Amino acid sequence: MEVLSVTSEIYPLVKTGGLADVTGALPHALGEHGVSMCTLVPGYRQVISTLEKTARVATFKDLFGGPARLLKAKHGELDLLVIEAPHLYDRPGGPYGREDGKDWPDNWARFAALGFAGAALARGLVKAYRPQIIHAHDWQGGLVPAYLAFGGRHGTKTILTVHNLAFQGQFDKKIFADLKLPAQANSVEGVEYYGGVSFLKAGLQYADMVTTVSPTYAYEIRTGEFGMGLDGLLNARGDSLLGILNGIDTEIWNPAEDGALARTFSAASLKRRGENKRLVLERFGLEAGGGPLFGVISRLTWQKGIDLLASSIDQLVAMGGQLCVLGSGEAELETAMMAAAKRHPGRVGVIIGYDEELSHLMQGGLDGVLVPSRFEPCGLTQLIGLRYGA
């Protein structure tokens, strides 16, 4: 079975969260069941610079504002198709925004291009390659089903996986004219959403199947409390909405062989974790012997409950605990975390940013992982914590 995965990030090439972990692990996991998965990703600067060997397999004369090439590449076990479109993707910063944390104003075009290319592949853009299924992820891949729905017969089935319903790809109505969709798509039954355009709604509306990252989340998003304004549409999808529990790659997340740890260990040798804890304390400037060490590895956002954590840090320290925080996000929450570190030197440590190796070390050394999220679609952090004895 040939499956094309359409995603805005994939580990280890580009990652901001759990989406990349899942899309990076799925090809190998499905390969063991006879599924051949190729992954379509944007050619961000960090992606293009990482790939050693590429081959052009298709071109676009004008892909949302400029010419583009479709490159075939391989990275480790990953089979990739990469959209090389410098006018869209050759930029500093992360995949979605500038170095100051603000989104790129043309994100609508950057990810419409991703969806358009995915649909073109379903229609035979590359000779001798025609996926039977396209597996699109989150709002960034949400337009694939819409482009296929309005483009005539194609024979490809589509699945949209919702990793986080809170991010919906909402844009001003004026962009619709440039989306390469017919006028009838701009309706309540189409991509229109509260007077604007929602890429996620487009995917939910037109995908053959919709999945979420856990059965519980599939239930929750049908309710008014967690449906983020889309619960009516999700309930209308009926049996086409299914929750499949996320997993982690137990080869990458393996404390017995993890090179990021100061000392590897297994369930039978948990005392060896002590050396990892010692190094975590050192990295965060915390004093040794200061009580149980708690940690947060997360985006610093309201959804993740970081404001709840900020209001509880003084109490945690007063009760004899220590805290280390790794992450970045909303400016006021970053400031609150840094202020707590200044109030409690040696007891609270904060590193603003993302560090894959440090996140592994923390899981291998923390006594407890804190997850104060207001809602959590699945929770890979918890699964990793269990795997690493935190």
Side-chain angles (χ1 to χ4, degrees), residues 9-271:
E9 51 186 273
I10 182 169
Y11 178 85
L13 289 170
V14 56
K15 173 179 173 177
T16 68
L19 168 63
D21 288 320
V22 174
T23 56
L26 269 178
H28 175 70
L30 292 174
E32 297 179 350
H33 297 276
V35 175
S36 175
M37 176 173 275
C38 183
T39 304
L40 176 69
V41 293
Y44 309 117
R45 182 175 295 179
Q46 63 266 44
V47 171
I48 297 294
S49 63
T50 300
L51 299 175
E52 295 182 358
K53 187 177 181 180
T54 63
R56 185 188 67 186
V57 293
T59 60
F60 297 91
K61 290 183 179 180
D62 182 7
L63 187 64
F64 292 90
R69 304 193 305 166
L70 191 64
L71 306 178
K72 184 178 181 180
K74 198 169 181 69
H75 186 78
E77 295 183 354
L78 296 174
D79 292 313
L80 303 170
L81 288 167
V82 181
I83 306 171
E84 185 186 44
H87 64 288
L88 297 173
Y89 306 124
D90 185 16
R91 305 174 184 182
Y96 312 120
R98 305 179 307 201
E99 291 174 318
D100 62 6
K102 294 183 179 179
D103 285 349
W104 293 109
D106 63 343
N107 270 350
W108 69 270
R110 300 172 77 229
F111 297 108
L114 178 65
F116 188 83
L121 284 162
R123 299 187 184 286
L125 175 67
V126 175
K127 188 176 181 180
Y129 178 69
R130 186 75 68 92
Q132 294 157 279
I133 295 174
I134 290 186
H135 185 185
H137 298 269
D138 272 347
W139 73 264
Q140 294 90 346
L143 284 188
V144 175
Y147 284 129
L148 290 177
F150 288 100
R153 296 173 62 87
H154 51 82
T156 299
K157 297 294 185 180
T158 57
I159 299 171
L160 177 74
T161 293
V162 180
H163 296 261
N164 193 332
L165 194 70
F167 300 103
Q168 301 181 358
Q170 296 184 35
F171 301 98
D172 190 274
K173 62 181 179 181
K174 66 184 179 183
I175 73 161
F176 180 83
D178 297 314
L179 282 183
K180 305 181 189 294
L181 284 170
Q184 60 263 39
N186 190 21
S187 67
V188 174
E189 291 76 26
V191 305
E192 187 272 335
Y193 188 61
Y194 290 101
V197 173
S198 168
F199 284 27
L200 183 64
K201 187 202 172 189
L204 296 175
Q205 188 79 50
Y206 295 112
D208 292 299
M209 288 290 295
V210 176
T211 71
T212 70
V213 292
S214 77
T216 302
Y217 196 54
Y219 166 77
E220 288 180 342
I221 61 177
R222 296 172 189 254
T223 68
E225 183 179 3
F226 294 105
M228 303 290 175
L230 290 167
D231 48 293
L233 173 57
L234 291 163
N235 278 292
R237 290 307 311 261
D239 293 338
S240 297
L241 171 61
L242 182 67
I244 302 173
L245 188 64
N246 252 351
I248 57 174
D249 187 327
T250 53
E251 293 181 11
I252 292 174
W253 293 102
N254 181 3
E257 299 180 2
D258 193 333
L261 300 181
R263 194 172 187 186
T264 57
F265 60 92
S266 69
S269 57
L270 288 176
K271 288 184 178 180

Side-chain angles (χ1 to χ4, degrees), residues 11 248-274 276-277 280 297 356-369 380-390:
Y11 178 85
I248 57 174
D249 187 327
T250 53
E251 293 181 11
I252 292 174
W253 293 102
N254 181 3
E257 299 180 2
D258 193 333
L261 300 181
R263 194 172 187 186
T264 57
F265 60 92
S266 69
S269 57
L270 288 176
K271 288 184 178 180
R272 295 163 63 96
R273 297 182 82 252
N276 297 312
K277 180 176 180 179
V280 173
I297 307 164
E356 180 74 14
E357 287 198 359
L358 181 55
S359 71
H360 281 244
L361 178 65
M362 290 172 69
Q363 292 281 14
L366 295 173
D367 295 308
V369 181
L380 297 182
T381 299
Q382 295 94 306
L383 297 179
I384 296 166
L386 289 168
R387 175 82 164 148
Y388 279 61

Side-chain angles (χ1 to χ4, degrees), residues 243-322:
I244 302 173
L245 188 64
N246 252 351
I248 57 174
D249 187 327
T250 53
E251 293 181 11
I252 292 174
W253 293 102
N254 181 3
E257 299 180 2
D258 193 333
L261 300 181
R263 194 172 187 186
T264 57
F265 60 92
S266 69
S269 57
L270 288 176
K271 288 184 178 180
R272 295 163 63 96
R273 297 182 82 252
E275 180 61 19
N276 297 312
K277 180 176 180 179
R278 184 196 65 77
L279 192 55
V280 173
L281 291 170
E282 183 180 299
R283 290 286 301 272
F284 283 88
L286 303 180
E287 60 194 36
L293 176 62
F294 298 96
V296 172
I297 307 164
S298 174
R299 294 194 310 275
L300 305 183
T301 65
W302 179 89
Q303 177 208 320
K304 295 295 184 179
I306 303 303
D307 57 317
L308 305 177
L309 174 68
S311 66
S312 305
I313 291 177
D314 293 344
Q315 184 180 5
L316 183 149
V317 172
M319 294 173 67
Q322 291 178 290

